[in-house]
Amino acid sequence: MYDIIIVGGGPAGLTAAVYGLRSGRSVFVIEREVFGGQIVNSPKVENIPGFESISGDVFADKMLDQAMAQGAEVTLEEVKAVKKAGDIFTVETAEGGSYEGRSVIFATGTTHRVLGLEGEEDLIGNGISFCAVCDGDFYRDKNVVMIGGGNSAFVESNLLVDIVSHLTILQDMPFFTADKKLQDQLLASDKVETHVGTKILGYEVDDGVLTGVKYEENGEIKVAKCDGVFLAVGLVPENDAFAGLAELNDAGYFVQNGNCGTMTPGVFVAGDCCAKSLRQVTTACADGAIAATQACEYLKQ
């Protein structure tokens, strides 16, 4: 029986763990993929207070080490259901685990958005990627298309441009939304070709192999020939399994009461999985601190 079970081991979840432990509570953190969340894919992070520059995976390791050093128990499992009976919550995982706690914090983060085009699902991991650190070297000296024009797209593109022979960026908006520093760094390369105001129509495939991206630009149908595609078109929450305990908005994000509380006593939410105006490491950590503090106040009752 744990005082606080945290579903999600990113910055929000690990910060919540530290705050819960410092209040003398027992804490169990369940993460389905990798501790640290999305930030582990960022080789260089420059907007975390106290660090002029730090790689995301190093930062994630520091957060995990800190939580475990203070007594957090952790596991890599995928939570499938959370049930409440009286004042006790039972957390069930896909691996067959069943854990009991007096309170729960959902810090489930987000996952990569896809375009929903025909054949896209079959191409993910077989021509379509999301992470340049993970998959960039597969496309060394090849042609690659990046779909997206925000910070994530440009961070990934800045990694890819030193690996690939040619990089085409397709953005649906009439302008790029990435920070100017990221744009200036990338667009100085003669390897980069950009198109804005485009509409992605589909993927071209030859005998199961991705060969290009079909898109519309200024009313003209075009094809960007490529060996691989990287998607950076946003993130989406995966909170549906917990909708019975915490209200979701129309986009699927958790609705909280201002102090990370939900419609269910003992259930709290934190981080990118919540409806909010800014999703950054700093705001995720702040949510984690608030959620854990509120959970401890609930437990006192």
Side-chain angles (χ1 to χ4, degrees):
M1 176 68 68
Y2 297 93
D3 291 323
I4 304 172
I5 295 180
I6 301 170
V7 182
L14 293 174
T15 301
V18 169
Y19 273 73
L21 292 161
R22 288 177 61 83
S23 295
R25 300 295 180 176
S26 59
V27 175
F28 186 46
V29 184
I30 307 174
E31 166 59 39
R32 72 174 183 175
E33 291 182 349
V34 59
F35 286 98
Q38 300 284 348
I39 196 171
V40 301
N41 296 323
S42 299
K44 187 177 182 181
V45 185
E46 300 178 320
N47 60 357
I48 298 175
F51 298 97
E52 182 176 349
S53 177
I54 188 171
S55 69
D57 59 344
V58 170
F59 181 71
D61 286 344
K62 287 179 177 292
M63 295 195 74
L64 179 60
D65 290 344
Q66 181 185 24
M68 293 182 68
Q70 296 194 34
E73 293 184 40
V74 304
T75 186
L76 281 172
E77 297 182 53
E78 182 178 0
V79 174
K80 301 300 290 184
V82 178
K83 302 173 183 176
K84 185 179 184 182
D87 292 331
I88 303 301
F89 296 91
T90 301
V91 179
E92 299 174 351
T93 69
E95 292 77 7
S98 181
Y99 308 99
E100 291 188 334
R102 296 184 175 91
S103 66
V104 172
I105 297 174
F106 289 121
T108 50
T110 54
T111 190
H112 294 284
R113 184 187 300 276
V114 296
L115 299 176
L117 298 171
E118 182 179 355
E120 187 173 53
E121 185 174 343
D122 293 334
L123 290 169
I124 293 175
N126 185 35
I128 295 179
S129 301
F130 302 96
C131 173
V133 172
C134 312
D135 299 334
D137 204 53
F138 293 130
Y139 301 100
R140 184 168 297 278
D141 300 325
K142 296 183 179 181
N143 294 334
V144 168
V145 169
M146 171 64 70
I147 299 177
N151 280 346
S152 295
F154 272 75
V155 167
E156 298 294 311
S157 294
N158 273 308
L159 294 171
L160 290 170
V161 74
D162 292 329
I163 300 172
V164 303
S165 62
H166 186 78
L167 178 65
T168 302
I169 303 178
L170 303 178
Q171 162 75 313
D172 59 347
M173 297 179 67
F175 51 86
F176 294 123
T177 58
D179 293 343
K180 185 177 185 300
K181 181 179 178 180
L182 291 172
Q183 292 191 46
D184 290 344
Q185 181 180 351
L186 179 68
L187 300 181
S189 172
D190 57 8
K191 291 184 180 181
V192 178
E193 174 186 346
T194 64
H195 299 269
V196 296
T198 65
K199 179 181 180 181
I200 308 301
L201 302 177
Y203 302 105
E204 293 209 331
V205 179
D206 183 11
D207 196 24
V209 177
L210 178 68
T211 60
V213 177
K214 183 184 293 186
Y215 64 99
E216 181 179 342
E217 182 180 21
N218 298 323
E220 183 181 353
I221 305 299
K222 301 180 179 180
V223 175
K225 293 294 185 182
C226 65
D227 302 291
V229 170
F230 283 76
L231 290 179
V233 292
L235 300 166
V236 293
E238 292 184 316
N239 299 328
D240 291 349
F242 315 120
L245 294 173
E247 180 186 354
L248 307 182
N249 68 9
D250 291 342
Y253 290 97
F254 288 124
V255 176
Q256 51 102 359
N257 63 8
N259 279 321
C260 296
T262 68
M263 65 184 186
T264 302
V267 174
F268 305 88
V269 293
D272 288 2
C273 58
C274 303
K276 57 197 301 186
S277 59
L278 182 64
R279 293 183 174 86
Q280 294 285 298
V281 174
T282 50
T283 62
C285 292
D287 285 353
I290 294 169
T293 302
Q294 292 300 307
C296 291
E297 287 298 317
Y298 165 80
L299 291 168
K300 289 180 182 178
Q301 302 170 15

